[in-house]
Amino acid sequence: MSAKDAYEKKLKGRLAEWRADIDKLKAKADQAEGDTQLAYYKEIEALRAQQESVRDKLDDLRDAGDGAWEDIKLGVEKAWTDLSDSTNKALSRF
């Protein structure tokens, strides 16, 4: 397995974990009421948008040649870090 393939596999696994975390947040939001519920839903929408951005970057990485994927990796890692930070913050607030 190449370094690119290993990195892609790692990212796919982490995306699945974030999806599960976001689903847990959604379940908690469904239990909330009023303004709290609306705030939770807004935050969940933002997390899903960030998750989509990481998925898009993963597609770019997948399409990149073996020589060019290292350049794309920087953008992937930035999006990854942003989503991770946002998810962790949301989990601590909910």
Side-chain angles (χ1 to χ4, degrees):
M1 177 180 286
S2 72
K4 176 184 168 188
D5 292 337
Y7 185 76
E8 186 178 330
K9 182 177 179 180
K10 178 182 170 183
L11 185 57
K12 283 181 183 178
R14 189 61 186 123
L15 275 170
E17 290 174 18
W18 282 322
R19 189 176 321 114
D21 288 344
I22 293 170
D23 289 344
K24 288 178 193 173
L25 293 174
K26 171 97 170 51
K28 287 182 181 182
D30 290 342
Q31 301 289 325
E33 295 181 7
D35 290 340
T36 302
Q37 187 179 52
L38 293 175
Y40 286 173
Y41 286 154
K42 184 176 180 178
E43 194 158 352
I44 289 166
E45 284 181 40
L47 289 171
R48 292 203 191 276
Q50 284 182 301
Q51 189 179 32
E52 186 63 33
S53 175
V54 171
R55 267 194 297 268
D56 289 346
K57 298 223 182 283
L58 177 60
D59 290 341
D60 292 345
L61 179 77
R62 190 177 305 124
D63 294 341
D66 286 336
W69 81 273
E70 284 286 341
D71 294 333
I72 295 171
K73 184 179 174 184
L74 295 175
V76 171
E77 288 180 356
K78 170 73 170 109
W80 177 321
T81 300
D82 291 346
L83 178 57
S84 179
D85 291 348
S86 295
T87 302
N88 289 334
K89 287 177 188 175
L91 285 169
S92 69
R93 279 195 303 266
F94 280 52

